Amino acid sequence: MRTPVGPLGLTASIVLMVLSGAVMLGGCGDGGKDGPPIVAPPVEEQPEDEPEEGPWSYPDTLFPLEEAVRAATEAAFLERNPGLCSRLDAFGRPDSDPRCPELQEPTVADSAAAVAVAVDFLERNRDVFRLTGPLPRVAGVRGSAGIGWSVGFEPQRVNGIPVWGTSIVLAVTSRVVWAAGGHLPEPRIPAEPVLGPEEARSLLPRVITVPCWTPFEATLHPDAPLWVLPVEITGAQGKACLECRLAYHCCYASSRSLIEGVCIDAMTGAVRVLHEPTPR
């Protein structure tokens, strides 16, 4: 069983998830009006066979760290950054700690200062975030003085294709208080997809009816950007590992909402349903 995963929590529940007004980085639209969470009709689950051997077969790319190594790396990361409320996940990537208390502390005055704090933090912690080249570009800043700032960085790219779940988000006051996200070490992907975006979109219904207080129709958006999608599989010796797939990100849109979270495997055509897409 292969399950999409990432620092932001992807799952294989075969239900389209809705984020009203939230759009994936590089996603399909500008979102709709605020409203209650709604769930679209289920997508028929497609059984998956083992990957076929061939020039596009997927190599295993990343194994979890041994617990002793993960714990030692986490301890060194926290010692280097006193007061940081983050942990490292099984693959060694930073994630916010749910036990983080609410902080009441001074903040920097503006977004430019928040970005400067965030960039300095990434530069000092390149090893933990696996940043081997130039720092990723800032994707957006939210917040205000007196409350705090959230600074987001663009995801890792492989051959120009963004990697799902590798965006970095830092919460900033006058310092970085928590961090989440990180790059994968040298993801290997097929040279090019087997399916084109239109062929991938043809595997989904063009219009769906969304159950809500007042049901409404949503139409498949014409954009289907290509992503590298890390998928958790059982690798050699029964160990979990990540395999980097190519997938088209598709969504449905209406005047009321943007329905997120459907990916089509660009090699096999398998439908993968994602949970918690990254908002921008």
Side-chain angles (χ1 to χ4, degrees), residues 68-95:
V69 174
R70 189 208 64 78
T73 305
E74 179 180 282
F77 180 46
L78 297 179
E79 183 178 1
R80 187 191 308 168
N81 301 282
L84 182 68
C85 193
S86 285
R87 307 187 64 213
L88 298 188
D89 69 11
F91 294 91
R93 297 168 298 186
D95 199 359

Side-chain angles (χ1 to χ4, degrees), residues 105-108 114 141-151 171-174 177:
E105 59 183 53
T107 68
V108 293
V141 183
R142 293 178 176 175
S144 63
I147 296 176
W149 306 87
S150 175
V151 182
V172 177
T173 54
S174 59
V177 296

Side-chain angles (χ1 to χ4, degrees), residues 111-184:
S111 60
V115 169
V117 171
V119 167
D120 176 71
F121 178 86
L122 284 189
E123 194 66 62
R124 290 187 291 103
N125 294 280
R126 278 178 167 272
D127 55 331
V128 177
F129 292 96
R130 297 189 177 100
L131 303 176
T132 58
L135 292 183
R137 294 188 300 179
V138 174
V141 183
R142 293 178 176 175
S144 63
I147 296 176
W149 306 87
S150 175
V151 182
F153 293 84
E154 291 185 352
Q156 179 181 11
R157 289 180 177 268
V158 180
N159 299 340
I161 305 171
V163 182
W164 193 285
T166 59
S167 301
I168 298 170
V169 179
L170 305 178
V172 177
T173 54
S174 59
R175 62 184 179 91
V176 172
V177 296
W178 61 256
H183 289 192
L184 300 180

Side-chain angles (χ1 to χ4, degrees), residues 21 133 142 212 244 253:
R142 293 178 176 175
C212 190
C244 285

Side-chain angles (χ1 to χ4, degrees), residues 5-113:
V5 297
L8 296 170
L10 307 182
T11 180
S13 172
I14 306 302
V15 175
L16 299 179
M17 302 302 294
V18 178
L19 292 184
S20 299
V23 186
M24 277 290 304
L25 287 168
C28 303
D30 297 322
K33 299 178 181 179
D34 293 335
I38 50 180
V39 178
V43 175
E44 182 178 353
E45 185 172 5
Q46 299 183 9
E48 293 189 56
D49 297 324
E50 292 299 314
E52 298 178 17
E53 294 298 327
W56 55 266
S57 59
Y58 290 104
D60 298 347
T61 60
L62 179 63
F63 284 89
L65 300 178
E66 295 292 337
E67 177 54 27
V69 174
R70 189 208 64 78
T73 305
E74 179 180 282
F77 180 46
L78 297 179
E79 183 178 1
R80 187 191 308 168
N81 301 282
L84 182 68
C85 193
S86 285
R87 307 187 64 213
L88 298 188
D89 69 11
F91 294 91
R93 297 168 298 186
D95 199 359
S96 59
D97 191 330
R99 298 169 297 180
C100 292
E102 287 192 23
L103 298 176
Q104 300 292 330
E105 59 183 53
T107 68
V108 293
D110 54 39
S111 60

